[in-house]
Amino acid sequence: MASESHMPGPVCLIENTNGQLVVNPEALKILSAIDQPLVVVAIVGLYRTGKSYLMNKLAGKNKGFSVGSTVQSHTKGIWMWCVPHPEKPNHTLVLLDTEGLGDVEKGDDNNDTQIFALAILLSSTFVYNTMNKIDQRAIDLLHYVTELSNMLWEVSSPELYEVEDEADFVSFCPDLVWTLRDFYLSLEADGQLITADDYLENSLRPKKGTDQSLENFNLPRLSIQKFFPLKKCFIFDSPTHLKKLAWLETLHNDELDPDFLQQVADFCYYIFHYSKTKTLPGGIKVNGPHLESLVLTYVNAISSGHLPCMENSVVALAEIKNSAAVQKALDHYDQQMGQKVQLPTDTLQELLDLHRASEKEAIEIFMKNSFKDVDQRFQKELETLLEAKQDDLCQQNVEASSDRCSALLQDIFGPLEENVKQGIYSKPGGHHLFIQKTEELKAKYYREPRKGIQAEETLQKYLQAKESVSDAILQTDLALTAKEKEAEDARKKAEAAKARAQMLEKIQRQNQQMMAERERLHREQVRQMEENRAHYVAQLWRDRERRLQEEAARQKEMIQAERRRLQNEISELKRNAAPPDDTCILL
């Protein structure tokens, strides 16, 4: 595991040499030795705007990343500093400082966007460092690079890990921390004080409406909101007098603006306590070897030319957005047709109606997601692709109908063909029976649903192929002599007589069985009646015994009551017959 002692200062991770990005093997060696989970913080912004100063503070140092004092950019490529995380035990904080955007000496915007995209994809917290305020130019640049990052991720992800769905990419996206340096505006909206976070949210809030200008305004904002689910904003006052800025890293705290120092402290506190661990899709926590693999994969993808140049950012962005819009429309069309269409369709019109409905939805989705398709090149491309899909579906419909009908004919007429082979119809009248059976099977075939547009043609081809069989049966039928027919009739009569005799014998057996069953049922009824009568008599005796017992108990109770009444009367008479008490009481 790499520790602070292993990295006393930053090293170059990705070198920018003559516009070519090259990975530094020494930096990869450092990463490969780190087995702890990583919190990766990357910063991007215009050159000479104090990015390196903030990264040094996150490293807990005044010096480390180069803080230039002239108009010349110091940081080239991407520099890395791995330090123990100050708040998360057993975690390593990886700080990535990037080459400043817009360096006039470099003059290569395409190289800027490559470094920008790499910083986004490698980080778990992405710091976007801009000057003074949030403006449309900064939003457009961030939007453009997020689209490039999305493209680079899609190109590289099959080599890195299996991606289940779009939610995997969202979970892989970093948190956004937008830092505004030398901020001079008042944080107010509609006469009310707001926070820096409110200012960021207001700046990224889309407007309501559907006209093209509003769609162009909303597109980058919606894309940024989707790419960065979690967003935070910090504002910074100017750290000191302009003349002292050149020696910012050597100044003591008492020489810096107190508000600026507090703002830097708040920024560091947030990064230390709220920056998440870098994770891959599937919740895999990134360690040093993982990050090493990401660096190599992304740089190789860029070197292979998988990112468009930024000679014209609007054209390049339109190419990306419109290509994605075409694919999204085609995916929707395929999904809808896959859900709605069941081949074969009964009619061609049914298929065309489903195609037109899905085509309309696909074009609407394209229009909603397209961007500056001025000459309608991408829309025409989409319409051409949809027309090709329609032609392909029509051909699939014909083939599916033919296959379905051929299988049905085999199932329905297969037994008939087998009977023909066994000579069932090689007899007098056999041809008539064959034709009759054929008509029955044709009616059964017509009743089968979902045969499609080839139903009649496939049937007629089948019947035409079997005409020789019908002719052969007819010739056999005509060749049979009258004697053979009479013998056949006699045999049939004998079989019929035998069948009638067997039927009569069967009826007689059934009658005997019915008589025996009736006799059994009669005996059973008599037995049940006897059982019911015995049960009824027994019940009557039980009821009579119960009533006698109840009457005896009632008589006993009456006698006892009368006895108690007489005893009470005797006691009363005894009390009344006692002599009165003549004792005189003196008062």
Side-chain angles (χ1 to χ4, degrees):
M1 178 189 70
S3 64
E4 187 176 9
S5 61
H6 293 156
M7 286 199 71
V11 298
C12 186
L13 174 63
I14 300 173
E15 298 177 0
N16 183 9
T17 305
N18 298 324
Q20 297 296 318
L21 300 182
V22 180
V23 180
N24 179 11
E26 292 300 321
L28 294 183
K29 184 177 180 181
I30 294 173
L31 283 178
S32 65
I34 303 176
D35 57 10
Q36 291 182 339
L38 305 181
V39 176
V40 186
V41 180
I43 190 167
V44 169
L46 294 175
Y47 84 110
R48 311 303 310 120
T49 55
K51 303 186 305 300
S52 299
Y53 176 84
L54 288 180
M55 299 304 277
N56 287 335
K57 290 302 180 184
L58 291 176
K61 303 293 183 179
N62 289 328
K63 295 182 179 181
F65 290 113
S66 178
V67 180
S69 59
T70 69
V71 296
Q72 188 176 37
S73 173
H74 272 220
T75 306
K76 298 295 183 182
I78 299 180
W79 285 68
M80 175 185 74
W81 198 351
C82 302
V83 298
H85 198 288
E87 296 295 337
K88 291 184 177 181
N90 300 319
H91 282 66
T92 296
L93 177 62
V94 179
L95 303 174
L96 301 179
D97 190 17
T98 63
E99 178 176 335
L101 306 178
D103 184 357
V104 293
E105 293 185 1
K106 181 174 59 176
D108 186 356
D109 290 339
N110 185 51
N111 195 240
D112 280 349
T113 58
Q114 293 173 356
I115 293 174
F116 202 149
L118 281 172
I120 290 178
L121 292 174
L122 295 176
S123 64
S124 56
T125 296
F126 173 71
V127 182
Y128 189 30
N129 192 69
T130 63
M131 293 297 293
N132 306 134
K133 61 181 179 179
I134 299 175
D135 55 23
Q136 188 63 39
R137 181 179 179 183
I139 291 175
D140 288 339
L141 178 59
L142 181 59
H143 170 223
Y144 176 74
V145 177
T146 57
E147 293 294 340
L148 291 183
S149 301
N150 198 344
M151 176 183 294
L152 181 57
W153 184 83
E154 291 175 352
V155 169
S156 307
S157 58
E159 302 178 15
L160 296 171
Y161 30 69
E162 182 178 357
V163 181
E164 297 292 336
D165 51 35
E166 188 175 356
D168 279 333
F169 179 58
V170 173
S171 67
F172 180 70
C173 292
D175 297 338
L176 172 64
V177 176
W178 197 317
T179 54
L180 295 169
R181 310 301 292 271
D182 297 348
F183 186 75
Y184 59 82
L185 300 177
S186 297
L187 286 176
E188 292 185 6
D190 299 326
Q192 301 291 326
L193 293 177
I194 61 173
T195 65
D197 292 336
D198 295 333
Y199 174 56
L200 175 59
E201 289 299 324
N202 292 341
S203 300
L204 296 178
R205 181 175 293 118
K207 295 181 180 179
K208 295 182 179 179
T210 57
D211 62 74
Q212 189 61 45
S213 62
L214 286 177
E215 289 185 2
N216 293 340
F217 177 86
N218 292 337
L219 176 64
R221 288 162 172 80
L222 294 173
S223 178
I224 292 171
Q225 288 186 4
K226 181 179 179 181
F227 195 94
F228 299 106
L230 184 61
K231 297 173 285 294
K232 181 70 177 176
C233 182
F234 288 94
I235 62 172
F236 295 88
D237 295 335
S238 180
T240 185
H241 298 299
L242 184 61
K243 293 183 179 181
K244 293 183 178 181
L245 289 177
W247 299 275
L248 181 60
E249 66 180 7
T250 64
L251 297 179
H252 297 290
N253 285 347
D254 56 4
E255 298 178 86
L256 299 176
D257 184 273
D259 290 338
F260 173 77
L261 291 175
Q262 184 59 50
Q263 291 158 353
V264 171
D266 293 342
F267 168 78
C268 293
Y269 181 89
Y270 179 86
I271 296 297
F272 292 152
H273 289 83
Y274 296 102
S275 289
K276 62 187 180 183
T277 303
K278 179 71 174 176
T279 58
L280 298 177
I284 302 172
K285 292 184 177 181
V286 171
N287 58 17
H290 289 146
L291 188 59
E292 175 189 7
S293 177
L294 290 176
V295 170
L296 289 172
T297 301
Y298 292 142
V299 172
N300 289 338
I302 292 173
S303 300
S304 301
H306 288 150
L307 283 183
C309 294
M310 197 181 174
E311 296 175 357
N312 187 330
S313 62
V314 175
V315 173
L317 183 57
E319 188 82 18
I320 294 170
K321 295 298 293 184
N322 291 329
S323 297
V326 168
Q327 188 58 50
K328 189 171 185 178
L330 291 174
D331 291 344
H332 179 80
Y333 174 87
D334 291 339
Q335 179 188 32
Q336 292 300 306
M337 294 298 285
Q339 292 175 352
K340 296 176 181 178
V341 177
Q342 182 181 356
L343 298 180
T345 58
D346 289 332
T347 64
L348 177 61
Q349 190 61 45
E350 177 186 349
L351 179 62
L352 293 178
D353 290 343
L354 292 172
H355 163 77
R356 291 191 186 100
S358 299
E359 179 185 45
K360 181 181 178 182
E361 292 181 13
I363 292 176
E364 289 175 352
I365 286 177
F366 170 79
M367 297 300 294
K368 182 178 179 181
N369 292 276
S370 63
F371 176 70
K372 292 187 179 300
D373 187 21
V374 179
D375 55 0
Q376 297 185 328
R377 176 169 66 91
F378 288 92
Q379 183 175 345
K380 292 175 182 176
E381 177 187 342
L382 173 62
E383 292 171 353
T384 301
L385 293 172
L386 290 174
E387 183 178 353
K389 285 182 175 292
Q390 173 189 308
D391 294 341
D392 183 58
L393 275 174
C394 289
Q395 182 60 34
Q396 290 181 37
N397 194 39
V398 170
E399 294 173 358
S401 177
S402 296
D403 293 343
R404 161 80 171 153
C405 293
S406 297
L408 275 177
L409 290 171
Q410 186 60 41
D411 290 342
I412 293 173
F413 284 86
L416 177 63
E417 294 179 5
E418 187 64 28
N419 288 339
V420 171
K421 291 179 181 179
Q422 294 178 3
I424 300 298
Y425 299 102
S426 298
K427 58 186 178 181
H431 185 261
H432 174 73
L433 294 175
F434 176 78
I435 296 299
Q436 185 180 33
K437 187 63 176 179
T438 299
E439 292 300 319
E440 291 177 3
L441 296 179
K442 283 171 60 178
K444 182 179 180 181
Y445 171 80
Y446 284 129
R447 289 194 298 270
E448 289 291 332
R450 309 296 300 179
K451 295 186 294 294
I453 60 178
Q454 295 295 105
E456 189 62 30
E457 181 178 342
T458 306
L459 174 62
Q460 294 306 319
K461 287 181 178 179
Y462 174 82
L463 294 177
Q464 289 174 5
K466 300 299 179 182
E467 284 183 355
S468 59
V469 176
S470 178
D471 293 341
I473 293 174
L474 177 60
Q475 294 301 321
T476 302
D477 190 358
L478 295 174
L480 291 175
T481 63
K483 184 177 180 179
E484 289 173 335
K485 291 184 179 180
E486 290 176 0
E488 184 68 16
D489 291 341
R491 185 183 62 80
K492 289 182 178 179
K493 290 179 180 179
E495 289 179 353
K498 182 180 179 181
R500 283 195 297 271
Q502 291 174 346
M503 181 60 69
L504 290 174
E505 182 180 354
K506 182 178 180 181
I507 292 174
Q508 185 176 2
R509 287 197 304 269
Q510 290 176 346
N511 289 337
Q512 290 175 352
Q513 290 174 356
M514 290 174 61
M515 293 296 294
E517 181 64 17
R518 288 176 181 173
E519 181 66 23
R520 187 188 65 78
L521 289 175
H522 176 71
R523 289 195 302 270
E524 180 66 20
Q525 290 174 352
V526 170
R527 184 185 63 78
Q528 289 183 356
M529 289 175 62
E530 290 295 333
E531 288 180 356
N532 291 341
R533 180 175 176 279
H535 178 73
Y536 177 71
V537 171
Q539 185 64 38
L540 289 178
W541 278 104
R542 285 193 296 270
D543 291 346
R544 181 173 177 275
E545 182 67 22
R546 179 178 52 77
R547 286 194 298 271
L548 289 175
Q549 290 175 356
E550 289 175 353
E551 180 63 23
R554 188 176 62 80
Q555 290 293 334
K556 182 178 179 181
E557 179 63 26
M558 289 175 60
I559 292 172
Q560 290 177 351
E562 182 64 20
R563 182 181 300 165
R564 286 193 299 270
R565 185 184 66 78
L566 292 176
Q567 287 176 349
N568 290 338
E569 287 182 0
I570 293 172
S571 298
E572 184 65 24
L573 289 174
K574 286 180 180 181
R575 283 194 299 271
N576 291 337
D581 189 357
D582 294 334
T583 306
C584 179
I585 300 173
L586 297 180
L587 302 176

